[in-house]
Amino acid sequence: MAEYVVELRDVVKEFADAGRAGELVAAVNHVTLQIHDGEFFSLLGPSGCGKTTSLRMIAGFELPTSGEVFLHGKAMGRTPPFQRPVNTVFQSYALFPHMTIGDNVAFGLQMKGVPKADIAPRVTEALEMVRLPGYEKRKPRQLSGGQQQRVALARALVNRPEVLLLDEPLGALDLKLRKEMQLELKTLQREVGITFIYVTHDQEEALTMSDRIAVMNRGKALQIGNSGDIYESPNCRFVADFIGETNFIDGKVKTQTGRSVEVELGHGLIVRAICDQLLSNGTAVSVAVRPEKTHINAATKHDNEFTGRVVSIVYIGTDTHYGVRLASDQLVRVREQNNTPGSRAVAKEGDEVTVSFDSAAARILTE
């Protein structure tokens, strides 16, 4: 048995550049990744980063310019989509409006020539999987957006694929329904036990649902890891900036002892942070620290403490966001939770305050 259910080895996909005749642009640029059987794996990134093109190459809708796609260790080469053990769910659902739900779900089985006697029980089973039992006779227009999305899932699952590919399937739903469907999809994936490969530009969606995530930009897979790895230990500025909110404090390396680094900010300010690589003194770096890991006028002492002035306050219910300008003129954003009844602001705009955070919460980024 192959070690991975899906593998991309040094895959490149080039397209003609519409703005420059005769030139090519790499939509996917030497991507290598491996996906385990039964894994919920997300391709995350902004528009144009190569995530959908990667998905389409796994499906067989696009063929690599170079490199290879493997399914269960078998090179796909020019294998057409209908001969690959995968099914795709699109954002648009693509349901046939004139057909009943039962006929929509059965369509793929009919095209494959599955015996008629076997189709009805498989349709019933698929609709039960997505919690729509008894909906066979309804039409798509009689269903809500979330129910239509589940029908699209049932239509893919009824074929019993080894891999289910999902191309931003929740993008057309409103925020509340999208959050509900995220949990339903993850639960469904665990119940059916097949591999889901999910394309999204929504960071929270990827963090919520995925076993592992590949963060992509400009055709490259910049970092691959679980949600905790990606959020807590980003390997570059783009990943730190794209996943959640991050403070970037720029300076130059003063000293390094093991993983502990001191960075000089100017105006006599030193920030201490963690780095896994060896850096030369004087190297220009960014110190990345999440706003929720910083504090204003903390009761406990931290190994990074700076004096600054509050320049902005935004109350958003669950927490309050502060902008604090340091003596080095750098802005640090602080997120304080409103976790006690009648929580009040810890400072007012214009107040001089102490901003603090632990070195273990701060990461050195060189690119």
Side-chain angles (χ1 to χ4, degrees):
M1 178 179 279
E3 185 177 0
Y4 307 111
V5 64
V6 176
E7 185 176 8
L8 275 63
R9 293 186 194 169
D10 199 27
V11 169
V12 175
K13 179 61 181 179
E14 295 178 332
F15 293 101
D17 189 334
R20 300 178 180 177
E23 292 193 23
L24 298 174
V25 59
V28 175
N29 193 359
H30 296 283
V31 167
T32 294
L33 56 86
Q34 297 86 25
I35 301 171
H36 301 282
D37 193 18
E39 189 171 27
F40 197 122
F41 190 96
S42 290
L43 299 170
L44 171 67
S47 297
C49 72
K51 57 189 185 295
T52 293
T53 302
S54 298
L55 195 80
R56 289 176 62 83
M57 286 190 287
I58 296 169
F61 300 137
E62 302 282 357
L63 298 176
T65 304
S66 63
E68 186 58 277
V69 175
F70 295 82
L71 296 179
H72 283 298
K74 180 181 178 183
M76 288 294 97
R78 307 188 74 82
T79 305
F82 66 88
Q83 291 182 357
R84 300 188 183 201
V86 303
N87 266 89
T88 306
V89 177
F90 300 99
Q91 180 178 336
S92 62
Y93 314 151
L95 301 179
F96 299 114
H98 63 287
M99 289 185 180
T100 65
I101 298 307
D103 288 340
N104 264 282
V105 176
F107 184 77
L109 298 177
Q110 293 166 349
M111 293 298 98
K112 289 183 174 181
V114 174
K116 191 172 183 180
D118 295 336
I119 290 178
R122 285 178 63 172
V123 168
T124 299
E125 178 189 31
L127 288 173
E128 286 174 349
M129 278 184 192
V130 298
R131 301 175 186 83
L132 290 176
Y135 278 62
E136 286 88 342
K137 300 300 182 184
R138 301 193 191 188
K139 293 287 185 68
R141 66 177 179 273
Q142 297 174 292
L143 274 58
S144 68
Q147 289 171 327
Q148 290 183 38
Q149 180 57 267
R150 282 189 249 171
V151 173
L153 283 166
R155 187 174 57 185
L157 292 169
V158 78
N159 291 306
R160 297 171 181 167
E162 295 173 18
V163 180
L164 189 62
L165 309 175
L166 302 105
D167 190 4
E168 305 212 39
L170 308 183
L173 304 180
D174 63 66
L175 179 62
K176 186 172 185 296
L177 183 56
R178 192 160 71 240
K179 287 184 177 294
E180 291 174 1
M181 285 298 296
Q182 288 171 12
L183 298 176
E184 286 199 26
L185 263 180
K186 182 60 181 174
T187 300
L188 176 64
Q189 189 264 340
R190 284 175 176 161
E191 288 175 354
V192 298
I194 66 174
T195 306
F196 277 28
I197 303 178
Y198 193 92
V199 161
T200 182
H201 63 272
D202 187 317
Q203 304 95 320
E204 184 179 334
E205 191 167 271
L207 291 171
T208 299
M209 301 168 69
S210 312
D211 296 316
R212 286 191 305 142
I213 302 167
V215 182
M216 298 188 68
N217 189 42
R218 297 183 178 179
K220 292 182 177 292
L222 300 179
Q223 185 171 357
I224 300 171
N226 63 39
S227 297
D229 293 336
I230 297 290
Y231 188 82
E232 300 291 348
S233 303
N235 65 359
C236 64
R237 188 170 180 134
F238 178 86
V239 173
D241 196 29
F242 190 76
I243 305 291
E245 189 178 4
T246 309
N247 290 301
F248 295 105
I249 305 170
D250 297 324
K252 293 184 178 181
V253 174
K254 182 181 180 183
T255 61
Q256 180 174 8
T257 306
R259 297 176 68 231
S260 181
V261 181
E262 289 190 346
V263 176
E264 195 164 17
L265 308 183
H267 295 267
L269 299 183
I270 300 292
V271 61
R272 296 165 182 84
I274 299 299
C275 187
D276 291 321
Q277 65 186 99
L278 185 62
L279 302 172
S280 301
N281 292 350
T283 302
V285 296
S286 292
V287 178
V289 58
R290 302 287 185 184
E292 70 272 16
K293 297 184 187 296
T294 59
H295 309 279
I296 288 179
N297 296 337
T300 56
K301 188 171 179 61
H302 300 88
D303 49 7
N304 286 301
E305 293 190 349
F306 307 97
T307 300
R309 193 167 298 279
V310 177
V311 296
S312 65
I313 302 176
V314 180
Y315 175 83
I316 63 167
T318 56
D319 45 43
T320 301
H321 295 191
Y322 299 86
V324 180
R325 184 76 63 184
L326 304 183
S328 61
D329 201 39
Q330 303 204 47
L331 181 70
V332 175
R333 291 163 293 180
V334 180
R335 186 179 300 170
E336 294 281 4
Q337 279 194 314
N338 301 322
N339 54 8
T340 58
S343 291
R344 300 292 180 186
V346 299
K348 302 188 299 295
E349 196 166 323
D351 283 358
E352 187 173 278
V353 297
T354 298
V355 175
S356 60
F357 55 90
D358 285 325
S359 59
R363 298 283 163 180
I364 299 285
L365 301 176
T366 58
E367 56 180 309

